[in-house]
Amino acid sequence: MQPLFTDRLWKKVEPIWKSYLEHPFVKGLGEGWLDKEKFKHWMKQDYVYLIEYSRLFALGSAKANDLTTMTTFANLLHSTLHMEMDLHRNYASKFSITAQELEETEAAATTTAYTSYMLNVSQRGGVENTIAAVLACAWSYNYIGKILATWPNALEHEFYGSWVQMYSSDEFTALANDCIDLINAIAKDKPEHELALLEDIVVKTSYFEYMFWDMAENQAMWPIPSTALV
Ligand SMILES: Cc1ncc(CO)c(N)n1
């Protein structure tokens, strides 16, 4: 039996993904001491990130070569807009932020760079590029969620518990596994030079994931505050 493409990808991205767990934002979330203002920044940025991420699933559905892939993307689109983004809307209500205000968040530099990169590689390639672009997102959050769920009291934390519960849930795990299955299926008939290109997309998006945690930790927007502009 051929080894799975995701086994090869895992070897490549493992050091990057391990570093997420050492990141103060992720550590603070899992251990329960994360500053709520930093979390609020993540939540707002992640909401506008997820809008563009949803667009990728719609693109994947449009680019699909078969009904099974089209259906999987449609399901990922629906679940992101409902299940995953409900988490953000629930947190927003705790900060007295409405769904409308959340949607109107201005994307920070890293959010813009990350979503622009994913949409660019997806638009200039076939459905395999779209699958590669979304893989690290779903898979790494599930990876983090499942590890944090094993940390003492992380699942029961009065504020961050629902974050850990959602990203470690069976429902979210199924979505991440759908992405894993999609890339393994499409990688099967691809020559090495095409696999290397897909691998590069997964590595780049894994770096962007790290940058996104950093952006949240630093509550970063753009280099010069927009209040300084006319
Ligand atoms: C930045 C980022 N990556 C991945 C996910 C998981 O969908 C998310 N919510 N946000």
Side-chain angles (χ1 to χ4, degrees), residues 56-69:
L56 277 156
F57 290 136
L59 258 176
S61 208
K63 282 173 186 277
N65 300 315
D66 56 82
L67 257 193
T68 307
T69 305

Side-chain angles (χ1 to χ4, degrees), residues 16-17 23 29-30 51 67 75 83 85 131 141 144 155 162 169 177 190 195 198 201 211 217 219:
I16 310 174
W17 291 25
H23 195 283
L29 201 160
I51 296 172
L67 257 193
N75 180 48
M83 181 187 78
M85 290 168 84
I131 298 169
Y141 265 55
I144 293 169
L155 282 168
S162 54
S169 67
N177 287 339
K190 299 256 181 249
L195 294 180
L198 297 179
I201 295 171
M211 292 163 69
E217 173 66 21
Q219 295 174 259

Side-chain angles (χ1 to χ4, degrees), residues 184-204:
N184 284 327
I186 203 131
K188 245 194 253 150
D189 325 305
K190 299 256 181 249
E192 174 51 36
H193 71 275
E194 286 186 39
L195 294 180
L197 290 173
L198 297 179
E199 183 180 82
D200 185 58
I201 295 171
V202 178
V203 171
K204 295 276 158 61

Side-chain angles (χ1 to χ4, degrees), residues 25 28-29 33-46 87-88 90-92 94-95 97 102 159-164 167 213 216-217 219:
F25 187 96
L29 201 160
W33 47 262
L34 175 67
D35 182 290
K36 291 210 176 129
E37 284 302 309
K38 293 181 180 179
F39 182 78
K40 186 168 138 190
H41 191 75
W42 171 83
M43 174 201 75
K44 291 172 75 182
Q45 287 303 315
D46 204 55
L87 177 83
H88 297 60
N90 282 332
Y91 273 117
K94 297 187 188 183
F95 288 108
I97 296 173
L102 205 51
F159 192 79
Y160 296 122
S162 54
W163 193 102
V164 181
Y167 285 112
W213 296 123
E217 173 66 21
Q219 295 174 259

Side-chain angles (χ1 to χ4, degrees), residues 63-173:
K63 282 173 186 277
N65 300 315
D66 56 82
L67 257 193
T68 307
T69 305
M70 197 179 229
T71 306
T72 304
F73 271 118
N75 180 48
L76 285 160
L77 172 62
H78 186 87
S79 300
T80 305
L81 291 171
H82 294 278
M83 181 187 78
E84 190 174 359
M85 290 168 84
D86 272 350
L87 177 83
H88 297 60
R89 286 184 286 260
N90 282 332
Y91 273 117
S93 70
K94 297 187 188 183
F95 288 108
S96 306
I97 296 173
T98 65
Q100 185 64 30
E101 282 166 344
L102 205 51
E103 191 178 333
E104 285 164 3
T105 302
E106 185 194 357
T110 302
T111 311
T112 306
Y114 189 2
T115 57
S116 303
Y117 171 77
M118 290 196 295
L119 286 163
N120 180 265
V121 294
S122 179
Q123 258 150 347
R124 68 183 153 90
V127 69
E128 65 279 5
N129 276 25
T130 313
I131 298 169
V134 297
L135 182 70
C137 320
W139 188 8
S140 81
Y141 265 55
N142 185 230
Y143 165 80
I144 293 169
K146 285 193 295 196
I147 290 176
L148 296 194
T150 69
W151 292 9
N153 309 315
L155 282 168
E156 294 83 30
H157 190 277
E158 50 86 31
F159 192 79
Y160 296 122
S162 54
W163 193 102
V164 181
Q165 285 163 29
M166 205 285 288
Y167 285 112
S168 64
S169 67
D170 290 345
E171 291 91 332
F172 194 80
T173 302

